[in-house]
Amino acid sequence: MYKSIYAVLFLFVSGKARELTDAEKSRLPRMYELDEYKSCLAEVDGLYCFGTIHLTPLERPHDIYELMEEHSSNPYYFNRTLIRRGWCLSARDAEKSNASNVFENRAKNWAKTLCMNAKLHRLQHCRTYHETKDDEDAIEPEQELFVKILLAILAMNIVGTVYDHATRDSSRRNKLLLAWSMSANWNKLTAIRTTGDPRLPTFEAVQGFRILCLLFVFYAHVLVLHYLFFVANPEALEQLTVSTKGIILSNGSNLVHMFLILTSYMTTYNLLLYSEKKPLELRMLPLCIYKRIIRITPVYALVMGYGATWYARTRTGPMTDYAIKGYSATCVKKFWTHIFYLNNVINKEETCLMPSWYLAVDMHLYILTCLLTLLLWRYRQAKRLYTHLFFGFLFVNFLVCYIYEYKPLVFLSKAEAISTLFEKLPSFWHYYISTWGALPSCFAGLYFGHLQYDLLKKDNTILTNKALVYLHNISFPLTILWAAVTGTYTHSISSRLSITVFMVVDKIVFIFLSSILVLGLINIDGPQRRFFAWSGWQALGRMSLCVMLCHWCVGCIIAAKPYVYEISDIEMTVDWIATVVLSYAIALPVTVLVEYPFQKFFETII
C-alpha cells in the first residue's frame, strides 16, 4: 500500500506523463554488456577495453531512440542514451590507430544495426594480454613492503604475547612489550565494563546504537555499489532510487552527523569529567590530538596501504579493471593526504575509499571540540554560546548553499549520478563532505556534552520530564518518518530558496531528534536503553573503527562480479550480510593486532 502511495506521489510531483511498459523497455538497447574476459586476454593479441558510448539516431523519427529519450527524461532514471560496454578488441589494431578509435569504430558498427550513430563518451580502461601476464608474474615493491609490515606487526604481537605469559610473576615488566600482548588486548576487547565512575557506564548504550547506525550505513553503501557495476536489470536500480526505501536511505544521509555529534558530545563530556581531577589548560591540546591520532591512524594507514597495494589483486575479472584499479591508483596518489586527514580538502573529487572523508571531518571537528572545551570549560554561558554558534553556522550554511546552489544528497541521489559516485557534482564534493558543512553538528555535540555534565553534576530532574521521555521513545521512528516524508516532498520543489530552506530545516530537525535520542539512551531508563546497553554489543562497538574502514573494500570486492548479473532485494540483502560478516571477521584481528597494541605502545611512550 505505502509503496503504491509513494509511486503515485512521485509520478505526480515529477510531472512525467507515463512509465514505459515492459514491452517498450525490452526494445531499449542493453545498458551493460561484457565480452568474455579471460578468453580475450588469453590471446597474445587480446585487448579488453571498457567504454561509455553515446547513441544518437541516424535519422528521425526513430521509435527506439524516442523511447530511450522518454525513459531518460525522468531525472531519477539512468540516461539510456549512454551505454556501457566491456569489449574484446585487437591490440594490433590499437597499435595502428589507438584504443579509443578501435573502440569507437566497433561501437559505430554495432550502432548501425540499430540505425543509430555512436560516439565514444569515455574510455575508462584498457588491458592487454601482456599486462595480465606481468600482473600474474610480478609483485610490486610496494606490495612486498606491505607484506613485510604485516609480518613485522605479527612478529611484535607474538613477542609481546610470549613476554606477557613468561613474566606474569615478575614485578618489573616492560610496558612497551606488554602493549603487544594478544591475550591482554583480547581481554580489553571482550571486557564487560561494570566498575569505575558510575557516570561512565551510562555510555554503554551508545555502543549498541552505534552498531545499528553502522549497519544502516553499510546497507546504503552496498546499494550504492551495485550502481557502479554492470547489472542486467538497471530498471531495478531506477525503481530503488524512487522507492520508499531509496528515499529513506538517501535522505537519511544526515545519519553521518549522528556520529559527528557523538564525537563532540563524548569528547566534551569526558574532558569536563577530567577537569574534576585536574584543571583544563590549552597546552593539553597537543596531547588530546596525539591520543586521537594514535587511536585512528595506525588502522587507517593499514587499510590505505592495502588499498594502494593488494586491493586490485584481491579479485580478478573485468570489474576489477573497470573500477577497483582506479580506486587503488587513487589510494597511491592520495595516501599522504589521507594520513594527514586532508583528503576532503586536497583533490577532494578523487576517490580512494569513499567513506574515508568522514574521518577527515571527524578529526577536524574533534580538534575544534577539544580547543573550545579547553578554553571555555569554566565559562558559565558556554551552552548559550554554543547555541548561538549552532544557529550562526546554520545561517552560514544557508548563505553559502544559496549562493552556490548546493543541494542535499536526496536531490543528488539519481541513478546516473550514483553510478559515477556523484562525479562533477559540487554539492557533494564542496558541501556534503566538507568540514564547514558539519560545524552545526559539532556545536550541537558541544552543547549536549555540557548539558550532560550539568545534568549529572547539578540537576537531573529534567530527565524525569514526561514530555522528554515520550519524545525520546518516539525519536527513532520519528527520524525515519521524517526522512521518508520530507524525502518524498523534495521531489516537488525546485526553486533555489525552497531547496536551501529545506536543507537547513532538515538539518535542524535531524540534529534535534538525534540529540534527544542520544541524551535519552544515556540517561533515561527504558526498553531502548536496555536493548542498546546489552553487554553483547560492547565488543562489536569497540571494533567500529576497523569495521567502518574495512567495509567499503569488502563490499566493493563482493559487488565486482565478473559478469552482468541480475539485481534483486535478495541479492542486495545477501551482499549486505556478507559485507557485514566479512568486515567484522577482518576487524577482529585488526583491532587486537593493530589498533590496540599501537595505541598502547604510543601511549606508553609519552
Side-chain angles (χ1 to χ4, degrees), residues 247-284:
I247 290 170
I248 292 174
L249 289 170
S250 58
N251 200 37
S253 58
N254 274 330
L255 183 66
V256 71
H257 291 279
M258 172 76 77
F259 294 104
L260 298 174
I261 291 171
L262 281 173
T263 295
S264 296
Y265 193 132
M266 298 179 70
T267 300
T268 302
Y269 178 65
N270 286 329
L271 283 173
L272 292 174
L273 280 180
Y274 183 78
S275 70
E276 297 177 0
K277 301 177 182 178
K278 185 178 180 180
L280 302 182
E281 298 176 347
L282 186 58
R283 63 181 181 180
M284 295 178 178

Short mmCIF file of all heavy atoms in Angstrom, two decimals, residues 247-284:
data_model
loop_
_atom_site.label_atom_id
_atom_site.label_comp_id
_atom_site.label_asym_id
_atom_site.label_seq_id
_atom_site.Cartn_x
_atom_site.Cartn_y
_atom_site.Cartn_z
N ILE A 247 14.40 6.48 -0.89
CA ILE A 247 14.24 7.85 -0.39
C ILE A 247 14.72 7.96 1.05
O ILE A 247 15.42 8.91 1.41
CB ILE A 247 12.76 8.28 -0.51
CG1 ILE A 247 12.39 8.48 -1.98
CG2 ILE A 247 12.50 9.57 0.27
CD1 ILE A 247 10.90 8.68 -2.21
N ILE A 248 14.36 6.98 1.89
CA ILE A 248 14.81 7.00 3.29
C ILE A 248 16.33 6.91 3.37
O ILE A 248 16.98 7.63 4.14
CB ILE A 248 14.16 5.84 4.08
CG1 ILE A 248 12.65 6.09 4.23
CG2 ILE A 248 14.80 5.70 5.46
CD1 ILE A 248 11.91 4.94 4.87
N LEU A 249 16.92 6.04 2.56
CA LEU A 249 18.37 5.87 2.61
C LEU A 249 19.10 7.13 2.14
O LEU A 249 20.10 7.53 2.74
CB LEU A 249 18.79 4.68 1.74
CG LEU A 249 18.41 3.30 2.30
CD1 LEU A 249 18.66 2.23 1.26
CD2 LEU A 249 19.20 3.00 3.56
N SER A 250 18.61 7.76 1.09
CA SER A 250 19.29 8.95 0.58
C SER A 250 19.04 10.15 1.49
O SER A 250 19.96 10.92 1.77
CB SER A 250 18.83 9.27 -0.84
OG SER A 250 17.43 9.47 -0.90
N ASN A 251 17.81 10.30 1.99
CA ASN A 251 17.53 11.42 2.88
C ASN A 251 18.01 11.13 4.30
O ASN A 251 18.13 12.05 5.11
CB ASN A 251 16.03 11.73 2.91
CG ASN A 251 15.76 13.13 3.41
OD1 ASN A 251 16.51 14.06 3.13
ND2 ASN A 251 14.69 13.31 4.17
N GLY A 252 18.31 9.86 4.58
CA GLY A 252 18.88 9.51 5.87
C GLY A 252 20.38 9.70 5.91
O GLY A 252 21.05 9.30 6.87
N SER A 253 20.93 10.32 4.84
CA SER A 253 22.38 10.53 4.80
C SER A 253 22.85 11.45 5.92
O SER A 253 24.04 11.47 6.25
CB SER A 253 22.77 11.14 3.44
OG SER A 253 22.08 12.37 3.22
N ASN A 254 21.90 12.21 6.50
CA ASN A 254 22.26 13.03 7.66
C ASN A 254 22.70 12.18 8.84
O ASN A 254 23.18 12.72 9.84
CB ASN A 254 21.08 13.90 8.07
CG ASN A 254 21.02 15.20 7.29
OD1 ASN A 254 22.05 15.73 6.87
ND2 ASN A 254 19.83 15.73 7.10
N LEU A 255 22.50 10.86 8.73
CA LEU A 255 22.91 9.97 9.80
C LEU A 255 24.39 10.14 10.14
O LEU A 255 24.81 9.93 11.27
CB LEU A 255 22.64 8.52 9.40
CG LEU A 255 22.94 7.44 10.44
CD1 LEU A 255 22.01 7.60 11.64
CD2 LEU A 255 22.79 6.06 9.85
N VAL A 256 25.18 10.52 9.14
CA VAL A 256 26.61 10.71 9.39
C VAL A 256 26.82 11.79 10.45
O VAL A 256 27.78 11.74 11.22
CB VAL A 256 27.35 11.07 8.08
CG1 VAL A 256 27.00 12.48 7.61
CG2 VAL A 256 28.85 10.96 8.25
N HIS A 257 25.87 12.74 10.52
CA HIS A 257 26.00 13.79 11.54
C HIS A 257 25.76 13.24 12.93
O HIS A 257 26.19 13.84 13.92
CB HIS A 257 25.05 14.94 11.22
CG HIS A 257 25.43 15.70 9.98
ND1 HIS A 257 26.40 16.68 9.99
CD2 HIS A 257 25.02 15.60 8.70
CE1 HIS A 257 26.54 17.17 8.77
NE2 HIS A 257 25.73 16.52 7.97
N MET A 258 25.07 12.10 13.02
CA MET A 258 24.89 11.45 14.31
C MET A 258 26.25 11.06 14.89
O MET A 258 26.54 11.28 16.08
CB MET A 258 24.02 10.20 14.15
CG MET A 258 23.91 9.34 15.39
SD MET A 258 22.83 10.03 16.62
CE MET A 258 21.25 9.62 15.90
N PHE A 259 27.13 10.50 14.05
CA PHE A 259 28.46 10.12 14.52
C PHE A 259 29.27 11.35 14.91
O PHE A 259 30.04 11.31 15.88
CB PHE A 259 29.18 9.34 13.42
CG PHE A 259 28.57 8.00 13.10
CD1 PHE A 259 27.82 7.82 11.97
CD2 PHE A 259 28.74 6.93 13.96
CE1 PHE A 259 27.25 6.60 11.66
CE2 PHE A 259 28.18 5.69 13.68
CZ PHE A 259 27.43 5.52 12.53
N LEU A 260 29.13 12.43 14.16
CA LEU A 260 29.87 13.65 14.46
C LEU A 260 29.37 14.26 15.77
O LEU A 260 30.18 14.77 16.57
CB LEU A 260 29.72 14.65 13.31
CG LEU A 260 30.27 14.18 11.97
CD1 LEU A 260 29.95 15.19 10.87
CD2 LEU A 260 31.78 13.95 12.04
N ILE A 261 28.06 14.22 15.99
CA ILE A 261 27.52 14.70 17.26
C ILE A 261 28.07 13.87 18.41
O ILE A 261 28.46 14.41 19.46
CB ILE A 261 25.97 14.66 17.24
CG1 ILE A 261 25.42 15.70 16.26
CG2 ILE A 261 25.40 14.89 18.63
CD1 ILE A 261 23.93 15.56 16.01
N LEU A 262 28.10 12.54 18.23
CA LEU A 262 28.62 11.67 19.28
C LEU A 262 30.07 11.98 19.62
O LEU A 262 30.47 11.97 20.78
CB LEU A 262 28.48 10.20 18.86
CG LEU A 262 27.10 9.57 19.00
CD1 LEU A 262 27.09 8.19 18.38
CD2 LEU A 262 26.71 9.49 20.47
N THR A 263 30.88 12.25 18.58
CA THR A 263 32.29 12.59 18.82
C THR A 263 32.41 13.83 19.69
O THR A 263 33.13 13.83 20.70
CB THR A 263 33.01 12.82 17.49
OG1 THR A 263 33.05 11.61 16.74
CG2 THR A 263 34.45 13.29 17.72
N SER A 264 31.71 14.90 19.33
CA SER A 264 31.79 16.14 20.11
C SER A 264 31.16 15.97 21.49
O SER A 264 31.68 16.46 22.50
CB SER A 264 31.09 17.27 19.34
OG SER A 264 31.74 17.54 18.13
N TYR A 265 30.04 15.28 21.53
CA TYR A 265 29.31 15.03 22.77
C TYR A 265 30.20 14.33 23.79
O TYR A 265 30.38 14.80 24.92
CB TYR A 265 28.10 14.17 22.40
CG TYR A 265 27.01 14.01 23.44
CD1 TYR A 265 25.68 14.18 23.07
CD2 TYR A 265 27.26 13.63 24.75
CE1 TYR A 265 24.64 14.01 23.99
CE2 TYR A 265 26.26 13.46 25.66
CZ TYR A 265 24.93 13.64 25.27
OH TYR A 265 23.93 13.47 26.17
N MET A 266 30.77 13.19 23.39
CA MET A 266 31.55 12.38 24.32
C MET A 266 32.89 13.01 24.65
O MET A 266 33.38 12.91 25.78
CB MET A 266 31.72 10.97 23.75
CG MET A 266 30.40 10.24 23.56
SD MET A 266 30.55 8.59 22.84
CE MET A 266 31.33 7.71 24.19
N THR A 267 33.52 13.68 23.67
CA THR A 267 34.78 14.36 23.92
C THR A 267 34.60 15.46 24.95
O THR A 267 35.38 15.60 25.90
CB THR A 267 35.35 14.94 22.62
OG1 THR A 267 35.56 13.89 21.68
CG2 THR A 267 36.67 15.65 22.87
N THR A 268 33.55 16.27 24.77
CA THR A 268 33.28 17.36 25.70
C THR A 268 33.01 16.82 27.10
O THR A 268 33.58 17.30 28.09
CB THR A 268 32.06 18.17 25.22
OG1 THR A 268 32.31 18.67 23.90
CG2 THR A 268 31.77 19.33 26.15
N TYR A 269 32.16 15.82 27.18
CA TYR A 269 31.78 15.26 28.48
C TYR A 269 32.99 14.66 29.20
O TYR A 269 33.19 14.89 30.41
CB TYR A 269 30.70 14.21 28.26
CG TYR A 269 30.25 13.51 29.53
CD1 TYR A 269 29.61 14.20 30.54
CD2 TYR A 269 30.46 12.14 29.69
CE1 TYR A 269 29.19 13.56 31.69
CE2 TYR A 269 30.05 11.49 30.84
CZ TYR A 269 29.40 12.21 31.84
OH TYR A 269 29.00 11.57 32.98
N ASN A 270 33.81 13.91 28.49
CA ASN A 270 34.98 13.29 29.12
C ASN A 270 36.01 14.32 29.57
O ASN A 270 36.64 14.15 30.63
CB ASN A 270 35.62 12.29 28.15
CG ASN A 270 34.79 11.03 28.00
OD1 ASN A 270 34.11 10.60 28.93
ND2 ASN A 270 34.82 10.43 26.82
N LEU A 271 36.18 15.38 28.80
CA LEU A 271 37.10 16.44 29.22
C LEU A 271 36.58 17.15 30.47
O LEU A 271 37.35 17.49 31.37
CB LEU A 271 37.31 17.44 28.09
CG LEU A 271 38.26 17.01 26.96
CD1 LEU A 271 38.25 18.03 25.83
CD2 LEU A 271 39.69 16.83 27.48
N LEU A 272 35.28 17.37 30.53
CA LEU A 272 34.70 18.02 31.71
C LEU A 272 34.83 17.12 32.93
O LEU A 272 35.06 17.61 34.06
CB LEU A 272 33.24 18.38 31.45
CG LEU A 272 33.00 19.48 30.40
CD1 LEU A 272 31.52 19.65 30.12
CD2 LEU A 272 33.62 20.81 30.86
N LEU A 273 34.67 15.81 32.74
CA LEU A 273 34.91 14.89 33.85
C LEU A 273 36.35 14.95 34.32
O LEU A 273 36.65 14.95 35.51
CB LEU A 273 34.56 13.46 33.42
CG LEU A 273 33.10 13.02 33.42
CD1 LEU A 273 32.99 11.59 32.97
CD2 LEU A 273 32.47 13.20 34.79
N TYR A 274 37.28 15.02 33.36
CA TYR A 274 38.71 15.07 33.69
C TYR A 274 39.04 16.36 34.45
O TYR A 274 39.96 16.37 35.29
CB TYR A 274 39.54 14.99 32.42
CG TYR A 274 41.03 14.97 32.66
CD1 TYR A 274 41.67 13.81 33.07
CD2 TYR A 274 41.80 16.12 32.49
CE1 TYR A 274 43.03 13.79 33.31
CE2 TYR A 274 43.16 16.12 32.72
CZ TYR A 274 43.78 14.95 33.13
OH TYR A 274 45.13 14.94 33.37
N SER A 275 38.29 17.43 34.20
CA SER A 275 38.55 18.70 34.88
C SER A 275 38.34 18.61 36.38
O SER A 275 38.82 19.46 37.13
CB SER A 275 37.65 19.80 34.29
OG SER A 275 36.30 19.60 34.66
N GLU A 276 37.61 17.58 36.86
CA GLU A 276 37.44 17.38 38.29
C GLU A 276 38.73 16.89 38.94
O GLU A 276 38.93 17.07 40.14
CB GLU A 276 36.31 16.37 38.54
CG GLU A 276 34.95 16.84 38.04
CD GLU A 276 33.88 15.78 38.23
OE1 GLU A 276 34.21 14.70 38.76
OE2 GLU A 276 32.72 16.04 37.87
N LYS A 277 39.59 16.27 38.14
CA LYS A 277 40.87 15.78 38.66
C LYS A 277 41.98 16.82 38.48
O LYS A 277 42.84 16.96 39.33
CB LYS A 277 41.27 14.50 37.93
CG LYS A 277 40.27 13.37 38.05
CD LYS A 277 40.72 12.16 37.23
CE LYS A 277 39.71 11.04 37.31
NZ LYS A 277 40.12 9.86 36.47
N LYS A 278 41.93 17.52 37.35
CA LYS A 278 42.98 18.47 37.03
C LYS A 278 42.39 19.57 36.16
O LYS A 278 41.66 19.29 35.21
CB LYS A 278 44.11 17.75 36.28
CG LYS A 278 45.31 18.62 35.98
CD LYS A 278 46.40 17.80 35.29
CE LYS A 278 47.62 18.67 34.99
NZ LYS A 278 48.69 17.89 34.31
N PRO A 279 42.71 20.83 36.45
CA PRO A 279 42.17 21.93 35.64
C PRO A 279 42.60 21.81 34.17
O PRO A 279 43.74 21.43 33.88
CB PRO A 279 42.78 23.18 36.28
CG PRO A 279 43.12 22.76 37.68
CD PRO A 279 43.51 21.32 37.59
N LEU A 280 41.69 22.10 33.30
CA LEU A 280 41.99 22.02 31.86
C LEU A 280 42.77 23.25 31.43
O LEU A 280 42.49 24.37 31.86
CB LEU A 280 40.69 21.92 31.05
CG LEU A 280 39.77 20.74 31.36
CD1 LEU A 280 38.56 20.75 30.43
CD2 LEU A 280 40.52 19.41 31.22
N GLU A 281 43.76 23.01 30.58
CA GLU A 281 44.58 24.10 30.05
C GLU A 281 44.76 23.92 28.55
O GLU A 281 44.72 22.80 28.03
CB GLU A 281 45.95 24.11 30.73
CG GLU A 281 45.88 24.35 32.24
CD GLU A 281 47.26 24.27 32.89
OE1 GLU A 281 48.22 23.80 32.22
OE2 GLU A 281 47.38 24.67 34.05
N LEU A 282 44.99 25.02 27.86
CA LEU A 282 45.14 24.98 26.41
C LEU A 282 46.34 24.14 25.99
O LEU A 282 46.33 23.53 24.92
CB LEU A 282 45.27 26.40 25.86
CG LEU A 282 45.30 26.54 24.33
CD1 LEU A 282 44.03 25.95 23.71
CD2 LEU A 282 45.48 27.99 23.92
N ARG A 283 47.37 24.07 26.84
CA ARG A 283 48.55 23.30 26.49
C ARG A 283 48.28 21.80 26.44
O ARG A 283 49.13 21.02 26.01
CB ARG A 283 49.68 23.59 27.48
CG ARG A 283 49.39 23.19 28.90
CD ARG A 283 50.55 23.54 29.81
NE ARG A 283 50.31 23.14 31.19
CZ ARG A 283 51.18 23.34 32.18
NH1 ARG A 283 52.35 23.93 31.92
NH2 ARG A 283 50.91 22.96 33.41
N MET A 284 47.09 21.38 26.87
CA MET A 284 46.71 19.97 26.76
C MET A 284 46.27 19.60 25.35
O MET A 284 46.13 18.41 25.04
CB MET A 284 45.55 19.65 27.72
CG MET A 284 45.88 19.77 29.19
SD MET A 284 44.42 19.42 30.20
CE MET A 284 45.11 19.56 31.85
#
